Amino acid sequence: MLGQFLHFMFESRNFTLVPLISSFMKCYPQISVDIQLSDRYVDLIKDGFDIAFRIGDLSDSGLIARKLNPHQLIFAASPDYLAQYGAPLIPDDLKKHQCLIYQYVNQNKKDHVWTFMINGQIVNIPISGTFQSNQTSALAIAAIEGLGITMLPESMLQEPIKQKKYKNFYHLPSRLI
């Protein structure tokens, strides 16, 4: 039996990719799949992975990378948070809000920014907040609990938005990853 070891960046991606992997495995039943979910980068060679799915820019490496599908990042917060603090209307408004910080993006845990494309130019907006995590699922739950504004892939937040656990604000410039 052939073994394929996969690593998924952002543990929420399993909801999107597992059905695809299921279809693949039905076509190729001789292949075993071991999915490891983590928000950290792995060394594919050292850690023994055959494939990694990652979101965002890749650092320079000798590995072969293919863009599979763009993901839209969206901004969301609980209705209670937005009722209490208001919704940001422009990216600069985020400076006045509790932003839920994804530690993996900036591991030195200071100088956090969210990057926007505004009028064709890249603009970094400094953000701050009292809640940080290295797990996207923790940020999603913190947003539902009213702790602040999160920026996560739309596919991760679609169902909770339908259930009205979040309100999203598409009027902020979109972020593609």
Side-chain angles (χ1 to χ4, degrees):
M1 238 157 71
L2 296 174
Q4 296 296 310
F5 296 94
L6 307 173
H7 179 262
F8 291 90
M9 183 68 182
F10 288 102
E11 39 82 24
S12 65
R13 297 286 51 91
N14 62 342
F15 300 116
T16 304
L17 291 174
V18 169
L20 297 173
I21 292 170
S22 174
S23 296
F24 174 83
M25 291 181 72
K26 288 173 184 172
C27 291
Y28 302 96
Q30 73 280 12
I31 294 179
S32 296
V33 176
D34 177 355
I35 298 175
Q36 302 294 313
L37 304 174
S38 169
D39 275 2
R40 71 175 180 89
Y41 274 98
V42 296
D43 182 321
L44 295 178
I45 308 302
K46 183 176 141 194
D47 295 335
F49 289 100
D50 297 314
I51 300 171
F53 291 89
R54 295 183 176 151
I55 294 177
D57 295 328
L58 297 177
S59 59
D60 187 27
S61 78
L63 302 174
I64 297 171
R66 290 203 172 109
K67 190 174 197 173
L68 297 177
N69 191 19
H71 288 277
Q72 181 74 40
L73 286 174
I74 63 169
F75 301 87
S78 73
D80 289 343
Y81 177 87
L82 295 175
Q84 185 171 354
Y85 300 104
L89 299 176
I90 60 173
D92 212 46
D93 289 347
L94 291 167
K95 294 176 184 176
K96 299 179 242 167
H97 283 271
Q98 287 290 322
C99 296
L100 304 174
I101 297 170
Y102 181 46
Q103 289 176 346
Y104 187 78
V105 173
N106 183 352
Q107 295 188 7
N108 70 10
K109 298 182 176 142
K110 62 180 184 173
D111 301 327
H112 298 283
V113 298
W114 282 346
T115 305
F116 295 85
M117 182 66 74
I118 302 174
N119 298 325
Q121 295 199 359
I122 294 174
V123 177
N124 290 320
I125 302 295
I127 60 160
S128 62
T130 56
F131 187 90
Q132 300 182 33
S133 179
N134 65 346
Q135 289 287 315
T136 54
S137 60
L139 297 174
I141 292 166
I144 289 172
E145 293 297 319
L147 294 182
I149 297 170
T150 188
M151 177 184 65
L152 292 171
E154 181 179 33
S155 59
M156 183 178 184
L157 300 177
Q158 280 177 336
E159 196 56 39
I161 287 170
K162 286 180 190 173
Q163 297 170 3
K164 300 193 186 314
K165 292 180 180 178
Y166 296 113
K167 284 188 179 178
N168 60 328
F169 11 97
Y170 286 106
H171 56 271
L172 287 179
S174 63
R175 297 232 2 221
L176 284 178
I177 55 174

